Every structure is written in C-alpha cells, then in structure tokens.
C-alpha cells in the first residue's frame, strides 16, 4: 500500500534560560500571522524564574520548567525529564533560543533534524559563551548570527542561515551584541518558517533551502535557495552520473530511492523509442512526487545489427555481463571497420502543469572485441568512443565520460531549459 508523504513537523517547543527576546520575536511573528505552519505549543525553561516564561503566559502559550539544580550533576536525568514533558505536549520541533545548557545525546538524538539553535556569531567562528565579546576582542570586521541544526558538537551542527552585521570601531561588545540581536530576531522566525513549511533538506553537513512559499520574501532574497529535482531512475550509477552533470545549477537532487513512498510503482517502458520511454518515466514520477522530474532512456545502436539492441538495450539479456557477452558473440565475425555504433540518450524534463522539455545526445564509436576498463556501467566496457585511441568508455574515467557520453550531451542540451527553470 502506498503511504502518504510525511507532512513537515509543526508542534514547536521553545527552550529558554533567561530574558527570552528571541522567544518574544517568535511569538510576535506568530501573532502577526507570519508563521502559519508553526504551532508554538510550549515554552520550556530549565530556570523556573526565567523572564520569558511570564511573557509566554501572557500570550497564553503553555509553559513548563524542570529546574536543572534538582538534578545536580545528572545531566542526562534532567534531559530525560525534559523529554517526558516534550512528549506530553507532543512536541515535534525544539528551538533553542538562549537555552544555556550543554545538551547530551538524550535530547539531541530524540530531535535529530528537528532541533534548531540560534548563536550570536558567524559559526564556526566564536562558538560557546560570550560569542559577541569574543568577536569584539578578536577584532573581526563583520559578525552576525547563525541558525543551525543541533548535533552533538557544541554550536557545530549544519548551518541553516546566517545574517551579518558590520563591526564598527567604537562598538564595544554591548553595542555589537545589540546589533547582532536585531538580526537574530529576523533569522530565527525565518528559519522556523522554512522548517515548518518543509523547505529545509539536510544533506550531510549541508542544508538545502528548497524554493517555495514564505512569509519573509524580502529576507529570503538574500538566501541561496534551490529547486527540488527528481531524477527518475532506480539505477544509482545513472543518478550519480546525472547529478555530477548538473553541477553548478542551484538544484536539490532527489533519487527515486529516497521518494519510493511517493512513487508511482512500476512504470511501463513500452514506447517505441527512447524519448517515449523517458516521457513515460518522467510523467509518472512527476505526477506522483509533484516535483520537477528528469528521466532518461538510452540505448546502444550497432550498425552491423541494423540498430539493435537499441531501445531494447536494457532487456537484451538479463544481466550486464550477459548483455556484453551476447553482443560480442553476435559481432564475432564482424571486422573492425564494420563495428560502428553509437550510444543514444533522450532526456525528458517534466514539470508541474504538464510543462516539458526534451533533448537528445549521441556518442559515436565502435564495439570492441573484448571488454576493458573498470569504470562506468552497462555497455561501457565494450564501447570505444571515437577519438580516444581505442580506449573503452569504462577505461576513460568519470571526468571524460561525463563530458562526452550520450547522456552528458543530452543533459548539456537541456541545460538552458534547466537554467531558466532554476532562475527565481
Ligand atoms: C542570544 O544572543 C542567542 O543567540 C544566544 O542566547 C541569547 C539569548 O537571548 N543563544 P534571548 O534570551 O533570546 O534574549
């Protein structure tokens, strides 16, 4: 049974320790209708006297406190108690807004990818306490604030966004801190808006900010956003190859493996030509995922076999080895000059509302007498592209292959369309 796509998290707890001006900024924005997808369901503190708790009560937001002093040196016990409170309130997102405790894996692990922190410096510079003072004393010319996902390193998680401020000669740490704080009050609501709209995608250490609706169009202009693009292939090699060819474009690339819950199931590939098959794949996956989708279909056309295996290249024999063996056997008596062949690739890019772009690329060459080379995949070991001294596509290495292959040329031909789609 197909599962529904998981909606982005919404129920948010803000954790504070002191005055709570960042909390105030979040609640003000919420009240002004600027955080439509976020539900600020709890304000929590390790300090029952924290000023921010009063402010939350005035705004009728539920509050809770678990005093860390009751736990002495038992950090993890304290966090387990907090976790219990968060569970009771069905919290999905934790925002650390001036929460002055070092966290352990108990809390961090429970909210991986759903815990944000705001820090008053441009990380990784000046982590830890008194960041503004550290920056002032160091003598930097710019500083600012960082909102990041929290991991187990202190102030070391993946950066979501940063805002900068100048450091003026007469500032001193206090004036600098005040200037940074004004930016914090913009950055934190923006980050929460993005997270609750499902627009943040964590990829290793990097965070992709996906293009989409926002409450902060002006602030967003300064952000590097990217367009989600699905590569509709179950072939991981092909997906990686295509991703490499798309370098330089502001895209956040997904593969079908990552989206299988949103997939269309088995897609028929029974069109009479490459373009038709690519269109079937792109259409089915676009419809199921809602994303811009790129699909390709390719094949090897051997002149001595009247263009076979062609559109049936993938089904010519069950495995890659068997396909290559069968091909070489069929061509056993064909002399070198008659072994001409070409790889052909059609790509179809399909967008919402039926928008479509297509392109085609070919790579001319000959079929070898025996396989060679360790790289590539499919028929690459038996294909000798023209102009490379008889080296097979599998022997030429990814850098050359990704420049001259049929797929590379098709993607290159599609690039202007991709650039247009990517430009905001
Ligand atoms: C802010 O500077 C924040 O960056 C840091 O702690 C301070 C909290 O201030 N993590 P407030 O309590 O939100 O006013």
């Amino acid at each position: 049974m197909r599962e529904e796509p998981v909606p982005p998290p919404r129920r948010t707890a803000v954790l504070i320790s002191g005055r709570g001006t960042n909390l105030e900024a979040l609640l003000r924005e919420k009240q002004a209708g600027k955080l439509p997808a976020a539900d600020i369901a709890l304000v929590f503190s390790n300090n029952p006297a924290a000023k921010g708790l009063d402010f939350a009560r005035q705004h009728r937001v539920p509050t809770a406190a678990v005093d860390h002093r009751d736990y002495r040196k038992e950090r993890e016990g304290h966090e387990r108690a907090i976790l219990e409170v968060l569970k009771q309130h069905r919290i999905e997102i934790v925002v650390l807004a001036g929460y002055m405790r070092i966290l352990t894996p108990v809390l961090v692990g429970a909210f991986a990818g759903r815990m944000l922190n705001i820090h008053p410096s441009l990380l990784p510079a000046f982590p830890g306490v008194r960041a503004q003072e550290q920056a002032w004393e160091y003598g930097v010319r710019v500083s600012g604030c960082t909102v990041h996902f929290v991991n187990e390193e202190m102030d070391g998680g993946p950066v979501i966004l940063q805002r900068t401020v100048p450091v003026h000669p007469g500032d001193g740490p206090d004036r600098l801190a005040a200037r940074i704080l004004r930016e914090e009050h913009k950055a934190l609501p923006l980050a929460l808006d993005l997270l609750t709209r499902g627009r943040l995608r964590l990829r290793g250490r990097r965070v992709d900010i996906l293009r989409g609706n926002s409450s902060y169009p002006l602030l967003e202009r300064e952000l590097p956003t990217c367009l989600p693009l699905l590569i509709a292939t179950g072939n991981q090699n092909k997906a990686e190859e295509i991703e490499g060819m798309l370098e330089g474009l502001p895209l956040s690339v997904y593969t079908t493996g990552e989206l299988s819950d949103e997939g269309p199931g088995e897609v028929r590939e029974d069109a009479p030509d490459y373009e038709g098959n690519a269109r079937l794949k792109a259409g089915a996956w676009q419809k199921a995922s809602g994303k811009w989708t790129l699909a390709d279909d390719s094949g090897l056309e051997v002149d001595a076999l009247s263009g076979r295996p062609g559109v049936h290249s993938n089904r010519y024999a069950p495995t890659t080895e068997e396909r290559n063996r069968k091909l070489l056997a069929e061509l056993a008596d064909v002399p070198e000059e008659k072994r001409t062949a070409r790889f052909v690739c059609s790509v179809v890019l399909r967008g919402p509302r039926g928008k479509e772009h297509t392109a085609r690329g070919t790579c001319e060459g000959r079929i070898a007498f025996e396989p060679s080379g360790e790289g590539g995949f499919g028929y690459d070991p038996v294909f000798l592209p023209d102009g490379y001294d008889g080296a097979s596509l599998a022997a030429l290495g990814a850098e050359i292959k990704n420049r001259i292959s049929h797929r590379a040329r098709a993607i290159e031909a599609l690039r202007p369309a991709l650039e247009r789609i990517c430009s905001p």
Side-chain angles (χ1 to χ4, degrees):
M1 206 183 75
R2 245 187 73 198
E3 289 168 36
E4 289 304 312
V6 188
R10 300 172 58 109
R11 282 183 71 83
T12 304
V14 185
L15 272 54
I16 59 168
S17 294
R19 59 183 180 180
T21 64
N22 276 289
L23 166 71
E24 288 182 25
L26 288 171
L27 291 178
R28 253 198 324 272
E29 295 297 276
K30 178 70 202 166
Q31 219 153 40
K34 289 290 188 62
L35 293 169
D39 177 3
I40 301 180
L42 180 70
V43 174
F44 173 90
S45 184
N46 61 310
N47 167 15
K51 196 167 150 262
L53 289 176
D54 293 332
F55 188 80
R57 284 184 208 109
Q58 284 158 24
H59 281 73
R60 299 183 205 294
V61 177
T63 61
V66 178
D67 196 329
H68 65 275
R69 286 164 299 196
D70 295 343
Y71 288 79
R72 296 173 189 263
K73 293 209 165 355
E74 242 275 80
R75 252 180 217 287
E76 293 183 347
H78 181 229
E79 288 190 6
R80 275 192 290 275
I82 298 174
L83 209 49
E84 210 35 59
V85 175
L86 299 180
K87 269 196 196 135
Q88 279 162 15
H89 289 263
R90 291 177 289 115
I91 296 302
E92 298 167 299
I93 297 173
V94 168
V95 176
L96 305 179
Y99 185 69
M100 304 303 281
R101 305 282 300 163
I102 292 172
L103 298 184
T104 80
V106 171
L107 261 186
V108 174
F111 288 93
R114 290 178 294 122
M115 185 185 276
L116 310 183
N117 181 44
I118 175 118
H119 184 78
S121 77
L122 297 176
L123 289 170
F126 315 126
V129 290
R130 298 182 302 104
Q132 306 93 326
E133 207 174 309
Q134 292 183 55
W136 171 254
E137 278 164 12
Y138 195 91
V140 291
R141 298 291 186 206
V142 285
S143 191
C145 62
T146 304
V147 185
H148 62 93
F149 280 117
V150 176
N151 65 9
E152 279 159 27
E153 249 174 88
M154 189 188 43
D155 298 326
V159 171
I160 298 169
L161 55 98
Q162 299 185 299
R163 294 190 60 80
T164 58
V165 302
V167 182
H168 297 313
D171 273 346
D174 291 347
R175 288 169 77 103
L176 177 59
R179 192 174 303 122
I180 292 173
L181 194 61
R182 283 196 289 278
E183 298 309 311
E184 293 185 36
H185 295 164
K186 298 178 197 163
L188 192 55
L190 172 57
L192 184 59
D193 189 44
L194 293 172
L195 179 63
T196 51
R197 287 179 191 260
R199 292 187 48 201
L200 298 180
R201 182 176 182 220
L202 195 49
R203 295 219 281 168
R205 251 220 77 84
R206 304 190 67 82
V207 178
D208 284 349
I209 301 175
L210 307 177
R211 208 154 292 169
N213 295 332
S214 154
S215 303
Y216 302 97
L218 288 180
L219 293 181
E220 260 207 73
R221 267 194 217 158
E222 297 165 33
L223 291 181
T225 57
C226 34
L227 185 85
L229 175 76
L230 173 65
I231 300 181
T233 176
N235 180 335
Q236 193 56 32
N237 289 318
K238 212 192 248 191
E240 277 168 24
E241 215 177 82
I242 295 177
E243 187 168 2
M245 293 164 190
L246 297 172
E247 231 177 60
L249 291 167
L251 293 166
S252 186
V253 170
Y254 290 78
T255 56
T256 52
E258 292 169 272
L259 293 187
S260 52
D261 289 351
E262 301 164 49
E266 192 70 29
V267 183
R268 278 180 304 117
E269 291 182 39
D270 53 5
D273 52 25
Y274 307 112
E275 188 175 309
N277 279 335
R279 181 170 290 116
L280 286 173
K281 286 183 263 187
W285 276 96
Q286 196 294 317
K287 194 160 164 236
S289 70
K291 295 181 172 40
W292 277 95
T293 301
L294 179 71
D296 90 317
D297 194 48
S298 46
L300 180 63
E301 297 179 350
V302 180
D303 293 328
L305 302 177
S306 317
R308 278 193 303 117
V311 76
H312 301 295
S313 293
N314 236 342
R315 286 154 282 169
Y316 181 53
T319 67
T320 302
E321 287 73 36
E322 286 168 285
R323 279 171 222 151
N324 286 335
R325 223 178 303 128
K326 182 172 168 188
L327 181 65
L328 294 183
E330 276 206 79
L331 294 178
D333 298 327
V334 179
E336 190 170 345
E337 67 279 8
K338 295 213 168 123
R339 297 174 78 93
T340 50
R342 73 209 44 79
F343 270 127
V344 182
C345 173
S346 279
V347 285
V348 172
L349 177 65
R350 180 96 180 175
R353 293 181 293 280
K355 283 185 208 141
E356 187 183 282
H357 302 270
T358 58
R360 184 181 163 94
T362 57
C363 179
E364 297 285 339
R366 276 173 302 118
I367 302 302
F369 285 93
E370 56 187 31
S372 65
E374 301 293 323
F377 57 93
Y379 292 98
D380 291 353
V382 297
F383 185 79
L384 316 175
D386 287 347
Y388 287 87
D389 275 346
S392 78
L393 211 46
L396 284 175
E399 202 261 315
I400 297 181
K401 181 185 173 190
N402 290 347
R403 207 150 23 83
I404 66 163
S405 78
H406 50 315
R407 198 168 297 112
R409 287 175 174 150
I411 299 277
E412 203 45 46
L414 201 64
R415 215 177 168 88
L418 278 162
E419 276 166 3
R420 273 198 307 281
I421 293 161
C422 283
S423 63

